[in-house]
Amino acid sequence: MRSVITGTGVSLPPHVVTNEALSRLMDTSDEWIRVRSGIQERRYAEPGQGSTDLGVIAARHAIADAGLSPTDIDAVVFATMTPDHVLPGNGPLLQTALGLGDIPTFDIRQQCSGFLYGLELADLFIQSGRYRRVLLVGAEVHTPFMPWHLGWDTLIGQSTRDITEAERAENTLSRDRTVLFGDGAGAVVIEPREGGAGLGTIRLHTDGTGAGVLTMLGASFKRRPFVTHEQIQSGETLPVMSGKEVFKAAVTLMPQAVREVCGASGLAVEDLDLVLVHQANLRIIEGVQKALGLPPEKVPHNIERYGNTTAATLPILFHECRAQGLVRPGMNLVFTALGSGLHWGAALYRT
Ligand code: UT7
């Protein structure tokens, strides 16, 4: 018996924000963003729309796709680094909005590796016989990180005012991060099935010595009070990132994790039909593809349209690959991710 993804769904919010639009706010360009990251546009949620809202829409589609009703779900795993509230987590909010039973919900926070860690939990739940129908959601609304007081409302049609030179200069300070992120959600339903298809070897890793390379220092319970107006003004409520270090870790550790699951499953890397890589940067995705010696068509991407949606990239990409007919029965597929923590790993999935 294996844990099989029986339904998928996504939610991609309505506001399309192009590189061109961002270059009106700060010193950046469509060319820089495309060449360095591969991103052409990303989606921004409506004001007031949180990661639970996007997760609920994606989950509804995934449950219907699996041919189930919300009351059939036995457990929820919700992966996000941008929850609606510090407490409670998104799980109970999604449970109520979907009308699920009083089933357990787990909120997990492994950032870009959230979906991968969620697959591990879902598989363990199902293999142990504890829960049969697990809903796994990856959803993010990153836009509140952005410095909205510096003219970001113009990006979603809420204002048409001109951006001042001082605002441009301030926006430029965080340009290495703000251009990368978008909002979105993906959800999957996972159920036990007899036969060879389903989740296989999963290998997860954490290295806390890398915690500082991608972190958010503001809004911290080590501070009193935990957030101040000054922290917001000085940009401390936006993640800080050592881009090059994350980049290097990503192109080294993701191929390593893919090889690890192949080795543990008796597969050669060439036996893989599809490798779905966390969508953080097209150069990272291509770096992983080249390190594994795979042809580009085996490593699909959609980062050009959505940017980095953290825990949502893998379920959105898997959903789109299914919709495009790229996922066919009998394939060896691997999910791999790396992100803040550092957390990384890979999961083999036989379609
Ligand atoms: O999901 C996990 C989360 N994050 C990641 O995986 C991110 C991993 N890292 C990256 O994707 C890349 O390191 C970045 C896209 C963030 C940056 O690319 P890079 O090639 O490492 O650029 P860089 O940081 O070396 O910056 C090169 C130049 C700098 O200017 P100087 O110092 O050479 O004059 C930056 O100030 O590019 C400048 N720059 C920008 N210019 C225009 C940084 N951001 C921008 C921007 N527009 N948005």
Side-chain angles (χ1 to χ4, degrees):
M1 186 269 293
R2 288 193 185 243
S3 308
V4 174
I5 299 175
T6 55
T8 63
V10 299
S11 170
L12 295 156
H15 296 287
V16 176
V17 176
T18 61
N19 296 342
E20 183 55 42
L22 287 175
S23 67
R24 290 199 289 272
L25 284 192
M26 64 184 95
D27 191 5
T28 190
S29 65
D30 177 47
E31 199 205 343
W32 192 97
I33 301 171
R34 271 178 204 252
V35 171
R36 299 287 178 138
S37 73
I39 299 165
Q40 296 173 21
E41 59 188 38
R42 72 287 292 141
R43 303 294 185 92
Y44 279 13
E46 293 280 14
Q49 198 174 33
S51 52
T52 300
D53 298 313
L54 298 188
V56 164
I57 299 168
R60 222 173 247 139
H61 290 308
I63 293 168
D65 187 38
L68 298 175
S69 304
T71 47
D72 294 324
I73 299 298
D74 296 325
V76 174
V77 180
F78 201 127
T80 185
M81 70 166 197
T82 53
D84 291 7
H85 310 295
V86 174
L87 67 150
N90 282 2
L93 308 179
L94 171 130
Q95 180 209 38
T96 304
L98 280 177
L100 308 181
D102 63 349
I103 56 162
T105 65
F106 297 81
D107 283 277
I108 63 169
R109 35 175 308 182
Q110 275 72 27
Q111 295 69 246
C112 299
S113 299
F115 182 74
L116 210 55
Y117 272 67
L119 286 179
E120 169 92 320
L121 286 182
D123 193 34
L124 290 171
F125 292 163
I126 289 169
Q127 295 300 337
S128 71
R130 179 81 76 179
Y131 308 113
R132 285 180 60 80
R133 289 163 170 166
V134 181
L135 173 67
L136 169 58
V137 182
E140 306 285 356
V141 173
H142 293 117
T143 39
F145 280 139
M146 313 307 176
W148 283 86
H149 57 291
L150 301 174
W152 287 66
D153 47 352
T154 61
L155 291 175
I156 59 166
Q158 280 197 310
S159 154
T160 51
R161 73 182 179 84
D162 290 331
I163 308 303
T164 67
E165 277 312 308
E167 286 172 331
R168 261 187 87 81
E170 245 188 285
N171 278 325
T172 300
L173 296 176
S174 53
R175 66 181 175 175
D176 58 319
R177 288 148 286 155
T178 50
V179 302
L180 301 178
F181 292 96
D183 302 337
V188 298
V189 173
I190 308 181
E191 299 179 77
R193 290 282 187 271
E194 295 304 326
L199 280 167
T201 306
I202 304 179
R203 289 288 184 270
L204 302 177
H205 300 279
T206 297
D207 177 6
T209 64
V213 300
L214 182 44
T215 182
M216 193 178 93
L217 299 171
S220 157
F221 283 99
K222 281 182 79 169
R223 293 177 169 191
R224 296 175 188 185
F226 79 102
V227 67
T228 62
H229 185 67
E230 290 70 34
Q231 285 165 16
I232 297 168
Q233 288 299 121
S234 64
E236 285 185 52
T237 48
L238 187 76
V240 283
M241 175 172 77
S242 167
K244 284 199 191 309
E245 282 184 61
V246 181
F247 195 103
K248 265 190 262 163
V251 293
T252 313
L253 297 174
M254 283 195 281
Q256 209 166 291
V258 174
R259 288 186 191 285
E260 198 184 348
V261 295
C262 285
S265 321
L267 289 173
V269 172
E270 308 83 80
D271 296 332
L272 300 180
D273 300 291
L274 282 178
V275 176
L276 304 194
V277 181
H278 168 57
Q279 306 287 291
N281 184 319
L282 185 58
R283 288 187 297 143
I284 293 177
I285 299 161
E286 289 171 349
V288 172
Q289 172 235 316
K290 285 177 188 147
L292 292 171
L294 291 171
E297 58 276 14
K298 285 192 174 182
V299 187
H301 48 82
N302 59 11
I303 185 162
E304 45 285 338
R305 283 175 286 131
Y306 307 128
N308 185 349
T309 57
T310 303
T313 73
L314 287 177
I316 295 173
L317 184 62
F318 181 67
H319 174 87
E320 291 196 339
C321 287
R322 271 181 95 207
Q324 290 160 13
L326 295 177
V327 181
R328 293 182 294 276
M331 282 183 153
N332 292 312
L333 183 153
V334 167
F335 295 100
T336 185
L338 176 137
S340 165
L342 294 174
H343 297 292
W344 74 97
L348 181 67
Y349 185 74
R350 179 115 174 133
T351 57

